[in-house]
RNA sequence: GCCCAGAUGGCGGAAUUGGUAGACGCGCUAGACUCAAAAUCUUGUUUCGGCAACGGAGUGCAGGUUCGAUUCCUGUUCUGGGCACCA
């Protein structure tokens, strides 16, 4: 019979710490009493504690996943006890490639496998005793959720970024401005030179007008590169392409342009950069975002072509080196390449372009050893010296960065230098003696030389003078450049949000626009059923295969789907108001819960998810839907828990495995083969040989040569935890064996939350012993309740209050490993002193509650409380119990500690000096010398310098 | 290649503001209880020399600042994470 309430006074025969019975009982009780239900409560301050929601993979959770969840759960529970109304939800980032891949292989619908995976994840999470309010669960692939993802996309489509006010505004306001003044003062992003007046605007056809508007929209269509695999007839993700061939099948892949949806995140570059200042994120994380945004100051310079009309624009951060330009390099994809390449060079250029098409961007920018490129045969004209400048193409210039073209200054840039040497281009020195002809001088120290009007000027001054000369001559302009690029928002896949877009004559309309006669307006636009998950024609997604879905009387539907980050860019709003059918979240809800106070997740999201979520929040704020424009106030990054793999050593010729030792490897190098052993078959390093033989029947008749003690040892190596390495540890197994409370505390005890560290199943015993020891403070073997009203000693009180203070401080700063140590020390002390004082022991239960909620709940109820310990108050520590009157000082001579001496804390320095110098040990080290200096730091140490 | 982080006993780690390096735990060691095992309790455990007292060395490596450096500075090596369609 399941227990109810706190009425469990029925006799229990087994009075040891019976974690499985305790944990099951209280999990049921929490559920029945909806302990973790969160409501809108104005009377308490709010606290929003959020985990990055997981992608529910088919492999289930391993012990590494819950690390951050445990930390945030402890924090959330602590904040509840401190009187906050805590929002601590969980959900699933459920769209994604793996489910689709699985569907391709097995034919099972991604919705089905995803639902199964989510069910498994939830069960695993519940096993660990998290305080999530599951009523607020968010699943990105649920139509009731992605309805609002689509709704936000429509807002992005109908919005543009006003550079003057630095915020997004409805597109209707842009149209109004065009009707009045054309695009005067509102340049087209990326095409700032294109200007039209009101008449020109009005003369445009609707199609032309919409084409112009597309260049402003925050969600827009453009041509962008993807990996295209001809043999598979599909677009591939970066990590599906390895060295230019597909991961599956090894078919050649090339970069190909496709028409895609993009997000104009570049318009937010400045705000995304500035917004970082006020955030409580690690400096490392902010640096990564700053670096990604990549703001740089410089100039855009126009180089006219010698034998053609037109010009090439370059962006440079070093306009001061303009006189050192010896050649130019265009990205192979640069639009100008086809036009300017001479007949002589056409074949070479075409071949080189084919080569770069197979190269990933990463390969192109990382390649430093071999220089590649091709000469176009064309020349530009230097704007000041008018000398002819040869134009090359090379992979190290990327089309997407700056203008896709550079002016090359070999004396001042390492890559340009290598390029010049390789192609035997004469190098002009603009750094005088600082360039020695062998290594480019790229420092910004010193003066510029041999550069006409710039000669003799120090670099910063030269940059200014050069920019002014460029602007005066109408040759260039001062410019700020960002490395940040607009984000691709199309995927040629099935398992993602469909776009609420319909094309009429190739013009995209959002489904709520009047042109579609309101026939498509209802959201969500649900994913239609497909019979096959194979790609559609010409690289389109599987949706393109469903003729009668694509073709509607009003037009043809968009067949791309949204990328994985669409749903995760705003889910933190939905938790605030998860069942709202009118809005993505009400203003009342978002105004109450505001920003996420603490966001916990891995660094791998540093620049992807965290940047997109910030942009979406800014857009929603600009359009008036929420009141704040930064989603995550504080960010905590958890490290990874790595696997500890095991290897057995095999001499295949002799059909013999040898127990591992340091000598073994040294004695037989080359002859030994390391064979992976599942961690399930190993106790520490000792292999269960019989189990291994069963696991790998192909080795069943091999010999196993044990060590001298008769055991067979494996070697260990720290690696990523993954199935293929046989080092995955499932939290379910750990919880079954030791209980969730032990598991939670052990994960925290392992080390600082932000560091990566290997999992070691053996170490968990220590934490488990600690909980058993704690249990014995409350109940003896006979099951008698031990706490009574006996008085507490001063030592006990000091021990308790020191621990209360430390726990509070450590939880606030996410230092959970030291929390566990502090509790261990406290329990050790209370055990030694035989503490039975119920006041102390009850406080101990409270401070244990965030870390070990099941055990604490059980003891809490044994104290006679009816409510949950979750709602108990966090005890206050009292300074009176912590003050010490004296200190045992380390006394050092010349910085080396030689002895210890105790002094009262209010002893004056003169007396201390006298006593120290009189001390026998110190006198011995002084050897009669007069101390040069006497250093006394109150409460810390004493140092005598001779 | 670029950006970021980390390196302390056999292992995970502690030392929160520059002040006794190794807390706490694992493992190992010796012992108590037990027919035995488990559980529990007790002892020791950075390393070298020494019975000990004590002394030398020691926080990836090489320097520097300081009365004093795991902590600050310069350089360097190695490991891990990210680099735009994995999530």
């Amino acid at each position: 019979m399941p227990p109810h309430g706190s009425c469990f006074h029925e006799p229990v025969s087994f009075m040891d710490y019976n974690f499985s019975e305790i944990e099951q009982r209280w999990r049921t009780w929490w559920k029945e009493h909806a302990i973790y239900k969160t409501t809108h409560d104005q009377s308490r301050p709010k606290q929003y504690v959020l985990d990055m929601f997981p992608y529910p993979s088919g492999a289930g959770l391993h012990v590494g996943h819950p690390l951050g969840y445990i930390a945030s759960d402890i924090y959330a529970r602590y904040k509840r006890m401190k009187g906050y109304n805590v929002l601590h939800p969980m959900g699933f980032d459920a769209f994604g490639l793996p489910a689709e891949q699985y569907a391709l292989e097995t034919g099972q619908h991604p919705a089905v496998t995803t639902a199964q995976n989510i069910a498994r994840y939830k069960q695993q999470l519940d096993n660990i005793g998290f305080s999530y309010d599951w009523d607020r669960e968010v699943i990105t692939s649920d139509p009731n959720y992605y309805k609002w993802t689509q709704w936000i996309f429509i807002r992005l489509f109908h919005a543009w970024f006003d550079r003057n006010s630095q915020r997004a505004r409805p597109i209707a306001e842009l149209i109004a401005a065009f009707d009045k003044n054309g695009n005067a003062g509102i340049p087209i992003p990326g095409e700032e030179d294109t200007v039209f007046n009101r008449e020109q605007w009005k003369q445009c056809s609707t199609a032309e007008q919409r084409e112009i508007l597309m260049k402003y929209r925050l969600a827009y269509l453009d041509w962008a590169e993807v990996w295209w695999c001809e043999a598979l007839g599909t677009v591939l993700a970066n990590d599906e392409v390895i060295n230019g061939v597909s991961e599956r099948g090894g078919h050649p892949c090339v970069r190909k342009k496709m028409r895609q949806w993009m997000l104009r995140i570049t318009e937010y570059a400045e705000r995304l950069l500035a917004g970082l200042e006020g955030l409580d994120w690690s400096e490392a994380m902010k640096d990564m975002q700053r670096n990604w945004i990549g703001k740089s100051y410089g100039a855009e310079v126009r180089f006219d072509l010698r034998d053609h009309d037109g010009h090439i624009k370059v962006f440079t951060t070093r306009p001061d080196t303009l006189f050192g330009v010896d050649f130019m390099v265009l990205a192979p994809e640069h639009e100008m390449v086809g036009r300017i390449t001479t007949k002589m060079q056409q074949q070479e250029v075409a071949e080189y372009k084919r080569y770069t098409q197979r190269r990933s961007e990463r390969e192109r920018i990382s390649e430093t050893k071999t220089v590649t490129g091709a000469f176009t045969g064309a020349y530009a004209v230097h704007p000041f010296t008018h000398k002819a400048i040869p134009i090359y193409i090379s992979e190290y210039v990327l089309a997407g960065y700056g203008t896709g073209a550079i002016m090359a200054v070999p004396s001042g840039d390492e890559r340009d230098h290598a390029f010049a040497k390789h192609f035997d281009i004469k190098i002009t020195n603009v750094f005088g003696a600082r360039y020695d002809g062998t290594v480019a001088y790229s420092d910004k120290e010193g003066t510029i030389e041999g550069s006409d009007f710039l000669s003799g000027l120090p670099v910063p001054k030269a940059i200014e003078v050069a920019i002014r000369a460029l602007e005066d001559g109408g040759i260039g302009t001062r410019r700020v450049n960002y490395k940040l690029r607009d984000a691709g928002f199309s995927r040629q896949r099935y398992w993602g949000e469909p776009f609420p877009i319909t094309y009429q004559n190739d013009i995209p309309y959002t489904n709520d626009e009047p042109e579609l006669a309101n026939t498509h307006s209802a959201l969500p636009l649900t994913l239609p059923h497909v019979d096959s998950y194979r790609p559609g024609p010409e690289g389109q997604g599987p949706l393109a295969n469903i003729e009668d879905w694509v073709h509607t009387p009003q037009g043809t539907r968009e067949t791309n789907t949204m990328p994985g980050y669409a749903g995760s860019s705003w889910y933190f709003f939905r938790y605030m108001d998860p069942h709202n059918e009118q809005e993505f979240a009400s203003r009342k809800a978002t105004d109450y819960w505001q920003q996420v106070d603490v966001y916990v997740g891995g660094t791998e999201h540093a620049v992807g998810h965290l940047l997109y979520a910030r942009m979406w929040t800014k857009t929603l704020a600009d359009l008036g839907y929420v009141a704040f424009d930064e989603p995550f106030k504080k960010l905590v990054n958890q490290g990874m828990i790595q696997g500890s793999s095991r290897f057995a050593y095999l001499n295949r010729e002799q059909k013999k495995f040898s127990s591992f030792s340091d000598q073994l490897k040294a004695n037989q190098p080359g002859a030994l083969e390391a064979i992976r052993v599942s961690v399930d078959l190993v106790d520490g390093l000792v292999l269960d040989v019989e189990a291994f033989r069963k696991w790998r029947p192909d080795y069943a008749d091999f010999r196993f040569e044990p060590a001298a003690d008769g055991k067979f040892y494996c070697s260990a190596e720290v690696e990523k935890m993954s199935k293929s390495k046989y080092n995955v540890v499932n939290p379910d197994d750990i919880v079954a064996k030791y209980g969730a409370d032990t598991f939670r505390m052990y994960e925290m005890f392992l080390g600082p939350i932000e560091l990566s560290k290997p999992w070691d199943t053996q170490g968990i015993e220590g934490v488990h012993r600690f909980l058993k020891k704690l249990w014995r403070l409350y109940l003896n073997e006979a099951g008698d309740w031990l706490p009574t009203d006996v008085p507490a000693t001063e030592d006990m009180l000091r021990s308790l209050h020191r621990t209360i203070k430390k726990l509070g401080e450590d939880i606030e700063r996410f230092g959970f490993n030291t929390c566990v140590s502090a509790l261990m020390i406290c329990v050790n002390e209370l055990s030694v002193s035989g503490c039975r004082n119920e006041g102390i022991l009850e406080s101990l239960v409270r401070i244990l509650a965030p870390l070990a909620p099941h055990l604490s709940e059980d003891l809490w109820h044994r104290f006679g409380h009816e409510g949950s310990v979750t709602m108990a108050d966090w005890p206050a520590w009292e300074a009176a119990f912590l003050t010490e009157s004296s200190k045992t000082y380390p006394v050092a001579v010349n910085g080396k500690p030689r002895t210890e001496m105790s002094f009262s804390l209010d002893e004056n320095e003169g007396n201390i000096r006298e006593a120290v110098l009189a001390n026998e040990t110190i006198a011995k080290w002084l050897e009669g010398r007069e101390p040069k200096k006497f250093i006394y730091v109150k409460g810390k140490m004493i140092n005598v310098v001779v």
Side-chain angles (χ1 to χ4, degrees):
Chain A
M1 219 182 77
H4 286 282
S6 47
C7 56
F8 65 109
H9 301 294
E10 64 259 36
V12 183
S13 57
F14 183 70
M15 281 323 291
D16 262 350
Y17 168 44
N18 185 353
F19 56 85
S20 57
E21 192 257 352
I22 289 171
E23 293 184 357
Q24 227 161 18
R25 173 193 315 179
W26 295 109
R27 273 207 283 277
T28 309
W29 189 82
W30 291 332
K31 212 170 183 175
E32 282 172 357
H33 293 77
I35 295 295
Y36 304 124
K37 177 137 187 76
T38 310
T39 54
H40 198 105
D41 176 2
Q42 297 286 1
S43 68
R44 284 182 294 161
K46 69 93 191 186
Q47 181 76 205
Y48 188 178
V49 182
L50 183 64
D51 293 300
M52 289 186 189
F53 63 170
Y55 174 81
S57 86
L61 288 175
H62 65 60
V63 290
H65 295 115
L67 183 71
Y69 307 155
I70 295 170
S72 62
D73 194 62
I74 292 168
Y75 189 80
R77 287 175 180 276
Y78 167 76
K79 284 287 176 184
R80 279 194 199 97
M81 294 179 77
K82 292 287 271 187
Y84 289 88
N85 186 28
V86 174
L87 177 58
H88 184 47
M90 185 45 104
F92 298 94
D93 189 13
F95 275 132
L97 217 42
E100 183 157 345
Q101 193 50 43
Y102 192 69
L104 258 170
E105 286 159 15
T106 66
Q108 285 202 70
H109 197 284
V112 175
T113 52
T114 301
Q116 285 167 356
N117 294 346
I118 287 176
R120 169 111 191 272
Y121 263 63
K122 277 178 82 164
Q123 187 213 331
Q124 286 187 297
L125 289 171
D126 275 337
N127 237 339
I128 303 169
F130 292 124
S131 60
Y132 298 129
D133 177 0
W134 281 114
D135 287 349
R136 291 174 182 262
E137 179 182 9
V138 151
I139 297 173
T140 55
S141 62
D142 179 347
N144 290 320
Y145 177 83
Y146 70 67
K147 167 183 177 177
W148 297 108
T149 310
Q150 293 170 335
W151 180 87
I152 295 172
F153 171 80
I154 290 175
R155 301 283 83 71
L156 291 165
F157 180 88
H158 292 296
W160 61 292
F161 190 83
D162 179 357
R163 291 183 177 179
N164 298 316
S165 60
Q166 279 288 303
R167 63 177 195 90
R169 293 170 61 185
I171 209 92
E173 295 178 19
L174 183 67
I175 296 170
F178 289 169
D179 285 343
K180 220 169 151 190
N181 297 319
N183 78 336
I186 314 174
I188 300 173
E191 290 178 40
E192 283 77 4
D193 297 341
T194 309
V195 180
F196 53 85
N197 60 30
R198 162 177 134 164
E199 280 66 38
Q200 287 167 312
W201 166 253
K202 285 189 171 159
Q203 278 159 21
C204 287
S205 66
T206 309
E208 286 166 340
Q209 286 192 344
R210 286 194 74 108
E211 211 166 295
I212 291 170
L213 292 176
M214 190 59 91
K215 296 170 191 268
Y216 287 88
R217 297 181 191 278
L218 288 181
Y220 67 101
L221 270 181
D222 200 1
W223 293 88
E225 280 196 343
V226 291
W227 276 116
W228 168 252
C229 180
E230 186 69 43
L232 297 173
T234 185
V235 170
L236 295 175
N238 279 337
D239 70 336
E240 294 177 306
V241 180
I242 295 161
N243 294 327
V245 299
S246 64
E247 188 185 20
R248 281 169 291 116
H251 307 291
C253 302
V254 295
R255 304 289 290 168
K256 184 184 170 184
K257 285 218 162 185
M258 282 188 73
R259 205 167 178 218
Q260 315 233 28
W261 287 100
M262 309 282 288
L263 293 188
R264 209 178 294 283
I265 191 171
T266 47
E267 289 294 293
Y268 278 96
E270 195 54 50
R271 270 175 70 191
L272 288 168
L273 195 60
L276 288 171
E277 296 309 317
L279 299 178
D280 185 8
W281 295 15
S282 72
E283 217 37 52
M285 193 59 55
K286 289 186 186 180
D287 272 352
M288 276 194 254
Q289 290 220 341
R290 285 190 194 111
N291 194 261
W292 186 260
I293 295 167
K295 184 178 187 176
S296 57
Y297 301 88
E300 194 173 87
V301 186
R302 207 184 67 214
F303 284 76
D304 289 327
L305 296 167
R306 195 184 65 179
D307 308 313
H308 298 265
D309 288 337
H311 55 261
I312 291 169
K313 277 183 180 173
V314 302
F315 171 76
T316 176
T317 57
R318 296 294 304 272
D320 54 319
T321 62
L322 204 56
F323 288 91
V325 174
D326 290 314
F327 58 102
M328 291 178 78
V329 185
L330 305 187
E333 305 86 349
H334 196 283
E335 49 169 14
M336 206 64 102
V337 174
R339 251 183 58 205
I340 62 173
T341 303
T342 59
K343 275 221 174 73
M344 282 275 291
Q345 294 302 112
Q346 260 166 16
Q347 197 187 337
E348 193 187 331
V349 165
E351 259 168 42
Y352 189 70
K353 285 180 76 166
R354 267 197 297 282
Y355 159 76
T356 52
Q357 275 191 340
R358 298 196 311 267
R359 302 270 286 172
S360 72
E361 211 165 89
R362 178 103 44 97
E363 288 168 335
R364 286 174 55 170
I365 53 176
S366 331
E367 183 62 74
T368 48
K369 293 197 175 65
T370 43
V371 175
T372 62
F375 180 43
T376 62
Y379 291 86
V381 180
H382 192 284
F384 290 124
T385 66
H386 304 293
K387 80 173 176 184
I389 306 203
I391 303 172
Y392 289 78
I393 60 172
S394 177
E395 62 175 351
Y396 79 95
V397 176
L398 301 176
Y401 182 63
T403 59
I406 62 158
M407 56 176 229
V409 181
S411 59
D413 180 278
E414 207 36 67
R415 294 203 78 158
D416 295 349
H417 195 263
F419 195 90
K421 289 278 181 197
H422 184 264
F423 284 94
D424 215 11
I425 301 166
K426 195 172 160 287
I427 295 171
T428 307
N429 177 14
V430 287
F431 300 102
R434 286 185 307 283
Y435 171 64
D436 62 3
T438 59
V439 183
Y441 178 80
S442 53
D443 293 352
K444 291 189 172 180
E445 306 292 316
T447 54
I448 298 298
E449 303 301 337
S451 294
D452 195 353
F453 58 90
L454 297 177
S455 296
L457 296 176
V459 169
K461 179 84 183 152
I463 290 175
E464 279 309 306
V465 172
I467 292 178
R468 230 171 298 139
L470 287 168
E471 290 189 325
D472 290 347
I475 304 156
T477 50
R478 181 184 302 279
R479 181 160 159 199
V480 172
N481 190 56
Y482 298 94
K483 205 155 69 189
L484 182 70
R485 304 205 296 255
D486 280 343
F489 200 67
S490 281
R491 298 294 181 265
Q492 293 71 33
R493 305 283 174 180
Y494 172 72
W495 192 230
E497 300 87 345
F499 283 90
I501 289 284
T502 306
Y503 295 87
Q504 284 182 351
N505 303 320
D506 221 25
I507 303 168
Y509 292 89
T510 59
N511 285 354
D512 58 344
E513 289 192 84
E515 284 83 349
L516 302 181
N518 285 326
T519 49
H520 290 191
S521 60
L523 292 180
L525 170 63
T526 51
L527 259 180
H529 179 80
V530 286
D531 293 322
S532 145
Y533 304 98
R534 280 200 314 277
E538 291 161 52
Q540 295 186 78
L543 292 180
N545 293 326
I546 322 171
E547 292 280 325
D548 52 352
W549 181 80
V550 173
H551 300 288
T552 76
Q554 284 72 36
T556 54
R557 293 186 194 272
E558 171 65 66
T559 58
N560 282 322
T561 54
M562 297 186 198
Y565 67 83
S568 62
S569 292
W570 72 279
Y571 74 111
F572 41 90
F573 290 120
R574 192 61 180 170
Y575 284 133
M576 301 179 189
D577 196 6
H579 306 295
N580 194 327
E581 291 185 5
Q582 266 68 52
E583 300 165 276
F584 70 94
S586 71
R587 266 305 280 270
K588 187 181 162 220
T590 60
D591 283 352
Y592 174 67
W593 290 110
Q594 293 275 325
Q595 292 166 289
V596 174
D597 292 282
V598 183
Y599 194 32
V600 181
T603 48
E604 65 271 24
H605 300 286
V607 286
H609 161 60
L610 287 169
L611 210 57
Y612 300 130
R614 291 182 62 215
M615 179 208 162
W616 283 43
T617 304
K618 287 181 191 305
T619 307
L620 289 171
D622 290 349
L623 299 177
Y625 296 107
V626 295
F628 47 92
D629 83 338
E630 283 291 347
F632 314 120
K633 196 151 69 177
K634 180 183 170 75
L635 179 70
V636 174
N637 293 114
Q638 94 263 20
M640 293 203 311
I641 291 194
Q642 297 147 317
S644 183
S645 310
R646 295 290 183 273
F647 299 87
Y649 287 86
L650 168 66
N651 187 322
R652 200 172 279 277
E653 257 167 48
Q654 300 176 11
K655 290 190 152 200
K656 184 183 83 180
F657 282 94
S658 299
S659 178
F660 179 78
S661 65
D662 290 337
Q663 296 90 353
L664 182 72
K665 260 197 136 167
N667 293 345
Q668 311 186 31
L672 293 172
E673 210 179 309
I675 303 292
R676 284 187 183 279
V677 173
S678 167
V679 290
D680 298 334
L681 310 175
V682 174
D683 178 18
L685 292 173
V686 179
L687 177 68
D688 180 339
V689 172
E690 283 320 302
F692 178 76
R693 283 194 161 117
K694 258 184 222 153
W695 183 61
R696 293 290 301 266
D698 43 328
Y699 294 128
D701 59 339
F702 282 41
R703 269 193 310 129
F704 285 77
E705 193 177 64
D709 61 1
K711 293 173 181 169
F712 187 94
Y713 292 93
C714 297
S715 75
E717 208 174 293
V718 174
E719 300 180 292
K720 221 172 196 165
M721 200 173 271
S722 91
K723 233 176 173 175
S724 62
K725 297 186 165 71
Y726 304 110
N727 60 6
V728 173
V729 180
N730 186 331
D732 298 347
D733 298 339
I734 303 295
V735 168
K737 193 161 176 203
Y738 298 100
D741 287 334
T742 298
F743 176 67
R744 290 167 61 104
M745 293 193 79
Y746 182 57
E747 288 243 328
M748 295 298 101
F749 187 58
L750 236 30
I753 191 81
E754 67 275 10
L755 296 187
S756 292
K757 55 250 155 184
W759 174 264
D760 169 24
T761 299
Q762 266 187 337
I764 201 169
E765 295 280 355
V767 174
H768 194 57
R769 265 172 225 156
F770 155 74
L771 287 180
K772 284 197 276 193
K773 192 168 184 179
L774 179 134
W775 178 260
R776 288 196 303 272
L777 282 174
Y778 297 84
L779 290 137
N780 65 14
E781 277 163 42
D784 303 319
W785 182 243
L786 300 176
T788 65
D789 54 4
V790 290
T793 67
E794 212 166 290
D795 281 345
M796 294 172 188
L797 285 165
R798 181 176 307 122
S799 180
L800 173 73
H801 284 262
R802 199 195 291 138
T803 310
I804 294 173
K805 179 167 185 278
K806 180 154 179 64
L807 250 67
E809 288 167 357
D810 286 1
I811 292 174
E812 292 279 4
R813 63 169 186 90
F814 273 72
F816 301 111
N817 53 331
T818 48
C819 283
V820 180
S821 316
L823 280 165
M824 283 174 169
I825 293 168
C826 182
V827 166
N828 285 345
E829 287 170 352
L830 295 182
S831 297
V832 167
S833 59
C835 179
R836 295 284 175 262
N837 176 277
E838 55 190 12
I840 287 184
L841 293 174
E842 204 224 44
S843 291
L844 182 61
V845 168
R846 293 176 196 247
I847 61 175
L848 180 71
L851 291 108
H854 308 84
L855 173 56
S856 310
E857 192 76 277
D858 194 81
L859 294 173
W860 183 249
H861 285 256
R862 286 179 192 265
F863 270 105
H865 299 289
E866 293 290 323
S868 171
V869 72
T870 313
M871 313 305 172
D873 289 333
W874 184 262
W877 56 273
E878 283 168 45
F881 297 119
L882 300 182
T883 48
E884 310 251 353
S885 57
S886 70
K887 157 88 186 169
T888 302
Y889 289 92
V891 184
V893 177
N894 283 340
K896 276 194 188 304
R898 295 300 178 186
T899 189
E900 285 183 347
M901 294 175 76
S902 280
F903 294 103
S904 157
L905 278 174
D906 39 57
E907 189 66 68
N908 77 54
E909 188 172 341
N911 293 345
I912 291 176
R913 184 189 165 113
E914 208 170 297
V916 166
L917 296 181
N919 179 282
E920 207 178 313
T921 313
I922 299 303
K924 190 183 87 192
W925 283 99
L926 291 181
E927 294 168 330
R929 289 169 298 184
E930 199 46 37
K932 242 192 258 170
K933 207 166 171 186
F934 183 82
I935 295 156
Y936 163 66
V937 184
K938 189 173 164 182
K940 296 281 188 194
M941 48 70 68
I942 295 163
N943 190 13
V944 185
V945 186
V946 291

